Amino acid sequence: MMLQFRTKVCASKQDNKIGQNIKELRHKANLTQEQLAAKMQINGCDISRGTLAKIETGIRHLYIDELKCLKEILNVAYEDILKS
């Protein structure tokens, strides 16, 4: 019998802040998580609404290609997404 252990990954303060920034910018653009995820998919980022929700809550890290995609779709500077 094989035992499986799950570890809970705690988000860093920086991940939480980036997620909050993305959520605020998404709201300013009047987009839902579903709409933003769809736009990201059209632009080549393989992301779901659920993954976007995890990024916004700081549970999941943001990858470089996703950062670039968000910058282009939301029409903001990198600093707007990454500011602390």
Side-chain angles (χ1 to χ4, degrees), residues 31 36 39-40 43 68-75:
L31 294 171
L36 181 54
K39 286 179 179 281
M40 291 178 74
N43 284 296
K68 181 180 177 196
C69 198
L70 284 168
K71 176 194 176 291
E72 292 172 5
I73 292 168
L74 297 173
N75 196 30

Side-chain angles (χ1 to χ4, degrees), residues 35-52:
Q35 291 168 328
L36 181 54
K39 286 179 179 281
M40 291 178 74
Q41 290 170 5
I42 290 169
N43 284 296
C45 280
D46 185 23
I47 192 168
S48 67
R49 187 217 54 83
T51 301
L52 183 58

Side-chain angles (χ1 to χ4, degrees), residues 7-66:
T7 57
K8 185 174 181 179
V9 177
C10 296
S12 72
K13 286 184 180 183
Q14 186 64 30
D15 289 328
N16 285 332
K17 184 57 182 159
I18 290 171
Q20 288 172 359
N21 294 341
I22 292 169
K23 184 175 182 178
E24 289 171 12
L25 293 166
R26 177 176 59 78
H27 283 169
K28 286 182 185 176
N30 293 315
L31 294 171
T32 64
Q33 288 178 339
E34 190 71 39
Q35 291 168 328
L36 181 54
K39 286 179 179 281
M40 291 178 74
Q41 290 170 5
I42 290 169
N43 284 296
C45 280
D46 185 23
I47 192 168
S48 67
R49 187 217 54 83
T51 301
L52 183 58
K54 288 178 182 179
I55 292 168
E56 287 186 356
T57 56
I59 294 172
R60 181 184 172 282
H61 296 290
L62 183 65
Y63 293 115
I64 297 295
D65 61 325
E66 295 164 344

